[in-house]
Amino acid sequence: MTAAALRVQGARKAFGGLVAVNDMSFEVREGELFGLIGPNGSGKTTMLNLISGALKPDAGEIALSGTLISGMPAHKIARAGVARTFQLVRMLPSMDAERNVMAGAVFGHRRLWGEQAREAAHQLLALVGLRGREHVPVAAMTYIDQKRVELARALASDPRVLLLDEWLAGLNPSELNIGIELIARLSEQGRTIIMVEHVMDAIRSLCGRCVVMNSGRKIKEGEVEEVLSDPEVVEAYLGDDDDA
Amino acid sequence: METIVTGILLGGTYALVALGLTLQYGVSRIMNLANGETLVAACFVAFWLFTSYTVNPLWGILVIAPVAFLVNWAIYMLLLRPLVERARNQGMLEVDSILATFGLLFLFQGLMLRGFGGAYTSYTFLADRFEIFGTFYGLNRVVAFAAACVIAAGLYLFLYHTRYGTAVRAVAVNPASANLVGIDVAKAAALAFALGGALTACGGTLISTFYTFNASMGVIFTMKALIIVIMGGVGDVRGAVIAALILGIAETAVAGLIDPGLTLAATYALFTLVLLFRPQGIFGRQQA
Amino acid sequence: MRLSRDEVWTGIIGAVAVAAAATLPLFDQGYYLAIALNMVLYAALCTAWTLFSGPTHYVSLATAAFFGLGTYAVGLGLDYMPFPALVLIGGAVAAILAGLVGAATLRISGVYFVIFTFGLAELVRQIVSYLQVKLSASMGLYVFTDFTEKHIYWMLLALTVVVFVTGWLINRSRLGFAMQIIGNDETVARHSGIDTARLKIVLFMISGGFIGMAGAILAPRYSYVEPPAAFNPMISFLVVIMALLGGTRRLWGPLVGVIPFTIVMDIVSVRFPNDTSIVIGIAFLVIVYLLPDGITGRLEQLWAHSRKARPEPEPVPVEERA
């Protein structure tokens, strides 16, 4: 049996006295659209940060297709094939859309350069719906367009696992539909995606399996409908008004 | 033993200066390279008060500290606040404040050179001998150390036992959160900066009682203060004190046992070790 | 290699300017040559400095340390090795120091870097003085060569050209793109696969190496080399001022600062020698409050405003591969 696309075992991260991620274990299979959900402050973004290498886990292991990546610096993990978007979109403000996306193409494991990199960037910008706007400075773009650029940039390195950190947050209903469609298309193409999300409709319609975190711990892992009707999960979300 | 005591006496006075800079960098987030100039200015004013009016420097502090407080407050409000407001992120503010305070460093140093000339100055105050554990030290050094302890204790009381002080500490830990709980971050930053300047001025006054000073030596003190602040953990008062004592002892040891011309090398060696093995300093928090 | 039209024109103008500058010693070998030599020296130093400090926004005050090491390489080795070799060795030693400093400080935040470099020249000076006295009982070194001012002038001019060409090549390369990204957002850089620490160190070493070579070339100017002069911290400060004054967004930005400021410093050191500190202080304040992107930055801003009507987006600062 082939190794899982991403395997987290016993991951732990504490900040002083606060344990943000506590003994987290889950598995994401190749080509899956996996949800990472939980109420606010449950440690989801910290978990993503551990996977992407922005933070080093205090304990536990994270493996990408069987290769251990936990403890490696972020740039090595990126080159190994993990790409991400950020909760608050991070643009390269002095550059245009094309060069923002090229950043992923040039320095990821594809290591493209020159015309090839430019071509790849154009293709991806078209994919996310920004065809023709390659030379617009990102500083002049709307928030949703910047999100699209960030997604294109993450895809530019052809990652083995794509991490989306609340990518659908802050979108109005029509933008939300477009966004959900886009992610669905990426998944159909065979991408392995881990989504941290609060928008429950999106989780329900997109994800097959998911894991629920609460106060840093895993409380349930499994098929989305099964998980969401679990009483412990419902209890964890009570009082949280993010539910769609 | 003698080295350690001398080192501690020296470190104690370094500590005051470093405490001043700790407040300015840890709370107001201003890397004040002109800090040393406040120190030197205090030296000259203390000298002037002593030689022209026979004012005991320890009483002189009562005049010098408030003046330094007001001057630093003015500097912060007029020159540094615009930078804080203009900066898009912490990194930019740090670069801007370094360059701006660098400019102030040169400006003040130039003005002091003009006003006081470049000669080395000193005055004799309590130059009698004082015995500790069988060896004699200058009474002035001991008194300076004692006064530094008193002032540091006062600072501790302020920071840990008053509302204003706690607000200042909160801003040092996390300005955004402090804002959320209703602390006026801007006011706290200005207060901390001014207070930091006053502390440095106290340090300068005390140092002038036993040290031969001149108008250009501000830079060296700033450098040492910076290194102490970083070694101790940015924004941490206890760390600054301990780091200052360590530096004082290390410098004295190197000067006595190896060569007085290598004191800066000793300081840098310590600094490098901290940067390599514990960049957040002794008491600092790990950067997220 | 395909060059854009802008690049070709810049190259031609640059070549003409260099050729013109090279003819100066034929007209004057006294005062004007001395001033021009200072200008070319600082042109080389500031451009080399900007190679690193421009894209990373890390203000390096280590210039004097690298410069002094280059000078000392020549001073110590002139009896044993030919001058050109010593220039390269001076550069190499400076680059190694830059590598060590970079490895220690560039993995952390920019503030620590500035502070560390702040005292670096003084530290190196202390160590060199100590070793000098211990090993040879005299403080200085004699440097006797057949070089006159005009030779040094031409060598510095050549060095400046090399620095510019290197900078231009870097800008077009992956290294240059990576540095741009790092300067924009280091987190994004790392998550895109860029080893930010290593690249910063490499760039710092290149910059430091060139500065060391400048120091080596300048050694024969004064027949006696002493630590306080070779490791003069003023060099670090002047380089920062001139580069920031000119503007570090463009490779030729610092030149705009070098030319007027060397003249200003010359006037000040003659007419108001006791007030150099004040002038420098004011210069820093002017830069921070009035010209945060330097003169070139301000000019580009004004130009952009006047072009606001145009529908096309602004051209990106890095040279395009056409």
Side-chain angles (χ1 to χ4, degrees):
Chain A
M1 184 170 126
T2 49
L6 189 81
R7 184 141 176 248
V8 178
Q9 266 187 303
R12 182 192 160 88
K13 184 68 184 174
F15 299 106
L18 176 68
V19 185
V21 172
N22 200 342
D23 194 31
M24 277 296 292
S25 303
F26 58 91
E27 227 179 75
V28 179
R29 301 174 198 141
E30 202 76 44
E32 236 190 327
L33 216 184
F34 190 84
L36 177 57
I37 61 181
N40 273 327
S42 49
K44 309 185 294 293
T45 298
T46 309
M47 188 66 242
L48 274 195
N49 283 336
L50 290 178
I51 298 174
S52 78
L55 295 172
K56 273 199 171 73
D58 298 330
E61 287 184 354
I62 303 175
L64 181 73
S65 301
T67 325
L68 208 60
I69 58 171
S70 42
M72 279 168 54
H75 69 267
K76 285 219 173 94
I77 295 181
R79 284 191 218 160
V82 175
R84 69 174 293 176
T85 63
F86 296 90
Q87 213 171 351
L88 287 175
V89 85
R90 283 184 176 261
M91 286 287 99
L92 303 171
S94 77
M95 304 188 210
D96 58 14
E98 173 191 79
R99 288 180 79 82
N100 263 270
V101 177
M102 277 169 73
V106 171
F107 298 104
H109 72 88
R110 288 166 88 189
R111 299 194 75 74
L112 301 176
W113 186 236
E115 210 42 54
Q116 281 188 312
R118 201 163 276 146
E119 258 311 300
H122 285 225
Q123 270 177 21
L124 287 165
L125 283 169
L127 178 68
V128 298
L130 290 171
R131 185 194 302 276
R133 308 195 46 213
E134 297 86 5
H135 293 289
V136 176
V138 292
M141 283 185 161
T142 60
Y143 191 65
I144 166 105
D145 283 344
Q146 288 184 344
K147 273 176 171 286
R148 296 199 226 208
V149 171
E150 199 182 39
L151 183 59
R153 186 175 69 208
L155 290 168
S157 59
D158 193 26
R160 286 202 243 165
V161 173
L162 176 65
L163 308 174
L164 297 177
D165 198 348
E166 297 194 34
W167 193 78
L168 297 169
L171 302 179
N172 67 41
S174 58
E175 289 168 343
L176 196 54
N177 281 329
I178 299 174
I180 293 179
E181 222 184 87
L182 185 49
I183 297 179
R185 235 185 309 149
L186 291 175
S187 182
E188 277 157 36
Q189 290 172 355
R191 288 245 170 252
T192 311
I193 303 175
I194 300 178
M195 285 179 66
V196 168
E197 250 333 311
H198 274 300
V199 183
M200 282 309 156
D201 274 355
I203 298 285
R204 282 201 175 91
S205 60
L206 289 171
C207 302
R209 292 170 56 241
C210 68
V211 70
V212 184
M213 281 181 80
N214 192 15
S215 303
R217 287 184 188 280
K218 169 167 92 170
I219 54 177
K220 198 94 174 114
E221 181 182 354
E223 295 290 328
V224 169
E225 282 311 328
E226 201 185 298
V227 163
L228 287 181
S229 45
D230 182 291
E232 206 184 334
V233 172
V234 173
E235 164 116 26
Y237 270 100
L238 269 181
D240 215 42
D241 50 5
D242 284 307
D243 265 54
Chain B
M1 188 41 147
E2 189 189 314
T3 316
I4 295 183
V5 176
T6 315
I8 291 181
L9 291 180
L10 184 61
T13 18
Y14 280 161
L16 264 194
V17 181
L19 283 176
L21 193 61
T22 299
L23 281 178
Q24 291 181 331
Y25 187 46
V27 180
S28 322
R29 313 280 165 166
I30 300 287
M31 184 54 84
N32 183 10
L33 292 185
N35 192 40
E37 307 312 305
T38 309
L39 187 154
V40 173
C43 286
F44 276 107
V45 173
F47 171 78
W48 173 66
L49 287 176
F50 184 73
T51 51
S52 305
Y53 301 100
T54 55
V55 174
N56 183 322
L58 297 175
W59 294 125
I61 287 182
L62 295 177
V63 168
I64 293 174
V67 170
F69 185 92
L70 290 171
V71 170
N72 275 275
W73 177 280
I75 290 176
Y76 183 81
M77 295 306 281
L78 295 173
L79 291 175
L80 299 171
R81 262 201 70 69
L83 295 181
V84 173
E85 271 150 23
R86 182 175 93 179
R88 272 180 276 130
N89 56 46
Q90 172 73 359
M92 274 204 63
L93 174 62
E94 286 180 342
V95 172
D96 276 349
S97 62
I98 281 183
L99 294 175
T101 54
F102 212 41
L104 289 177
L105 183 163
F106 282 105
L107 193 58
F108 290 148
Q109 192 174 99
L111 291 171
M112 282 197 287
L113 274 172
R114 268 204 146 215
F116 300 111
Y120 280 91
T121 323
S122 72
Y123 58 91
T124 342
F125 172 73
L126 293 184
D128 325 303
R129 296 181 317 165
F130 187 81
E131 188 180 335
I132 302 179
F133 296 132
T135 327
F136 289 104
Y137 305 91
L139 181 61
N140 42 22
R141 285 179 189 258
V142 178
V143 169
F145 179 76
C149 290
V150 169
I151 296 175
L155 178 69
Y156 172 78
L157 285 175
F158 171 72
L159 287 178
Y160 287 83
H161 292 277
T162 70
R163 283 198 66 153
Y164 273 121
T166 313
V168 165
R169 275 188 300 134
V171 174
V173 171
N174 191 330
S177 313
N179 202 8
L180 289 176
V181 299
I183 295 176
D184 186 341
V185 174
K187 259 226 185 93
L191 173 68
F193 193 83
L195 189 58
L199 282 169
T200 303
C202 290
T205 316
L206 293 175
I207 285 177
S208 70
T209 63
F210 62 86
Y211 202 85
T212 313
F213 51 90
N214 77 336
S216 328
M217 73 175 202
V219 176
I220 297 278
F221 274 99
T222 304
M223 247 192 274
K224 293 187 187 170
L226 289 173
I227 292 176
I228 291 173
V229 166
I230 291 172
M231 265 175 61
V234 173
D236 195 291
V237 165
R238 301 160 295 167
V241 172
I242 293 178
L245 293 175
I246 294 176
L247 188 69
I249 296 174
E251 265 195 22
T252 316
V254 167
L257 303 171
I258 307 178
D259 190 297
L262 285 178
T263 47
L264 195 59
T267 311
Y268 258 81
L270 267 179
F271 188 44
T272 312
L273 287 174
V274 171
L275 282 185
L276 287 177
F277 297 113
R278 205 176 158 80
Q280 69 268 37
I282 302 175
F283 284 107
R285 271 152 246 105
Q286 267 253 305
Q287 303 292 346
Chain C
M1 240 190 332
R2 286 187 302 169
L3 303 173
S4 73
R5 222 183 50 154
D6 275 349
E7 286 176 324
V8 172
W9 270 114
T10 315
I12 293 178
I13 295 175
V16 168
V18 168
T23 61
L24 176 63
L26 303 175
F27 299 111
D28 176 274
Q29 300 227 3
Y31 176 71
Y32 287 106
L33 180 59
I35 292 246
L37 197 152
N38 260 352
M39 278 192 200
V40 175
L41 170 65
Y42 276 96
L45 291 176
C46 292
T47 311
W49 184 89
T50 304
L51 280 185
F52 172 76
S53 296
T56 61
H57 302 298
Y58 279 47
V59 175
S60 162
L61 295 171
T63 312
F66 301 143
F67 186 83
L69 282 177
T71 308
Y72 257 78
V74 168
L76 290 171
L78 202 55
D79 293 333
Y80 313 108
M81 279 188 266
F83 185 73
L86 289 172
V87 172
L88 292 175
I89 291 176
V93 173
I96 292 174
L97 177 66
L100 294 172
V101 172
T105 58
L106 288 175
R107 292 172 191 274
I108 327 170
S109 83
V111 184
Y112 296 158
F113 174 77
V114 181
I115 295 168
F116 195 85
T117 57
F118 185 28
L120 191 67
E122 193 56 28
L123 170 72
V124 176
R125 185 184 70 75
Q126 271 201 6
I127 294 179
V128 169
S129 302
Y130 174 74
L131 292 173
Q132 265 256 265
V133 170
K134 270 271 173 333
L135 299 175
S136 73
S138 83
M139 196 49 103
L141 294 167
Y142 288 98
V143 180
F144 294 127
T145 61
D146 290 327
F147 295 130
T148 63
E149 290 241 320
K150 70 177 184 207
H151 298 118
I152 297 177
Y153 175 76
W154 281 326
M155 286 193 280
L156 286 175
L157 199 55
L159 182 67
T160 309
V161 170
V162 172
V163 175
F164 262 93
V165 171
T166 308
W168 177 74
L169 288 173
I170 289 177
N171 276 345
R172 306 169 58 107
S173 72
R174 307 167 80 105
L175 176 60
F177 189 33
M179 294 319 297
Q180 249 206 320
I181 297 172
I182 293 175
N184 267 276
D185 189 325
E186 192 158 338
T187 306
V188 171
R190 267 185 253 128
H191 282 281
S192 305
I194 297 175
D195 188 348
T196 55
R198 196 174 66 99
L199 287 190
K200 284 191 253 177
I201 295 173
V202 165
L203 203 58
F204 193 42
M205 287 176 72
I206 295 176
S207 166
F210 280 130
I211 295 174
M213 294 210 283
I217 292 176
L218 206 70
R221 192 182 191 192
Y222 310 104
S223 27
Y224 188 65
V225 161
E226 257 195 321
F231 296 99
N232 184 3
M234 205 45 84
I235 300 175
S236 300
F237 305 145
L238 289 176
V239 165
V240 171
I241 290 177
M242 291 192 220
L244 292 179
L245 200 60
T248 55
R249 294 265 183 99
R250 302 268 183 167
L251 196 56
W252 44 265
L255 288 183
V256 176
V258 166
I259 297 177
F261 206 74
T262 36
I263 298 177
V264 166
M265 280 312 285
D266 190 70
I267 296 176
V268 167
S269 61
V270 167
R271 301 264 186 91
F272 315 103
N274 294 321
D275 293 329
T276 43
S277 291
I278 297 180
V279 172
I280 290 179
I282 294 178
F284 271 109
L285 294 173
V286 163
I287 289 172
V288 173
Y289 293 101
L290 299 175
L291 298 169
D293 282 325
I295 296 176
T296 53
R298 178 67 73 195
L299 288 178
E300 283 185 6
Q301 250 188 346
L302 295 171
W303 194 43
H305 271 288
S306 72
R307 288 171 96 220
K308 245 196 169 133
R310 290 253 224 128
E312 282 158 24
E314 302 297 274
V316 285
V318 174
E319 313 282 17
E320 294 273 278
R321 258 204 181 192

